[in-house]
């Protein structure tokens, strides 16, 4: 395996450069449930750009990671994080190109407005929205 991550044994704190390198590589997922490691509010714009890039062969992985991330934030109920997320979704809505990404934004906004509709099958690992 080609070493992409600065810490090959624990790829749980990847940089954006490492995430991008993996996105275009032929390497297997570095860790089980790695969707959790790539997610942060700061990474969302980059992840969205990867999903919109037809040359990226990991779009389903990244889309799934976004659903998990949104579900986790909404379930947390942390008003400040949810507010930052709402602003970010508004920004991403103007930039999104792919139908899948546009659907994710719409569904995410709905979940924020209706947190009681959260369902792990759709907002957890292996999201039915994606797979």
């Amino acid at each position: 395996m080609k070493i992409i991550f600065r810490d090959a044994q624990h790829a749980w704190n990847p940089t954006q450069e490492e995430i991008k390198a993996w996105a275009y590589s032929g390497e297997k997922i570095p860790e089980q449930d790695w969707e959790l490691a790539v997610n942060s509010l700061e990474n969302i714009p980059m992840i969205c750009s990867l999903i919109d890039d037809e040359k990226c062969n990991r779009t389903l992985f990244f889309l799934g990671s976004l659903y998990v991330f949104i579900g986790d934030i909404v379930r947390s109920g942390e008003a400040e994080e949810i507010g930052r997320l709402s602003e970010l979704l508004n920004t991403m809505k103007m930039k999104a190109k792919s139908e899948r990404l546009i659907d994710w934004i719409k569904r995410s906004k709905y979940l924020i407005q209706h947190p009681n509709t959260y369902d792990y099958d759709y907002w957890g690992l292996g999201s039915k929205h994606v797979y």
Side-chain angles (χ1 to χ4, degrees):
M1 175 171 136
K2 176 182 168 188
I3 296 178
I4 294 173
F5 304 96
R6 66 182 179 273
D7 181 1
Q9 293 181 357
H10 306 288
W12 285 98
N13 191 21
T15 65
Q16 287 192 359
E17 292 75 24
E18 291 167 334
I19 294 168
K20 288 177 191 175
W22 178 80
Y24 295 98
S25 76
E27 298 300 320
K28 294 180 181 177
I29 189 169
E31 297 285 337
Q32 181 177 350
D33 300 337
W34 196 58
E35 295 92 329
L36 305 174
V38 301
N39 282 323
S40 71
L41 286 170
E42 293 75 23
N43 285 349
I44 287 179
M46 176 205 52
I47 291 172
C48 289
S49 70
L50 293 171
I51 292 168
D52 272 343
D53 185 353
E54 293 177 7
K55 296 176 185 172
C56 180
N57 59 357
R58 313 280 184 158
T59 56
L60 293 181
F61 169 85
F62 288 115
L63 188 60
S65 75
L66 290 180
Y67 277 103
V68 170
F69 187 61
I70 299 303
D72 286 350
I73 288 179
V74 171
R75 280 188 330 151
S76 77
E78 294 179 28
E80 185 177 321
E81 289 291 299
I82 293 170
R84 287 180 59 205
L85 177 61
S86 291
E87 290 175 22
L88 192 54
L89 288 170
N90 288 334
T91 301
M92 298 316 304
K93 182 180 178 182
M94 296 187 307
K95 297 178 181 180
K97 299 174 188 169
S98 72
E99 189 73 30
R100 286 183 166 165
L101 194 55
I102 292 166
D103 287 345
W104 168 75
I105 292 167
K106 288 177 188 174
R107 290 173 178 150
S108 297
K109 289 175 153 237
Y110 184 86
L111 184 64
I112 289 170
Q113 294 299 314
H114 305 92
N116 61 323
T117 64
Y118 173 87
D119 182 337
Y120 181 85
D121 288 342
Y122 293 90
W123 296 95
L125 292 170
S127 169
K128 288 184 178 180
H129 284 308
V130 179
Y131 303 103

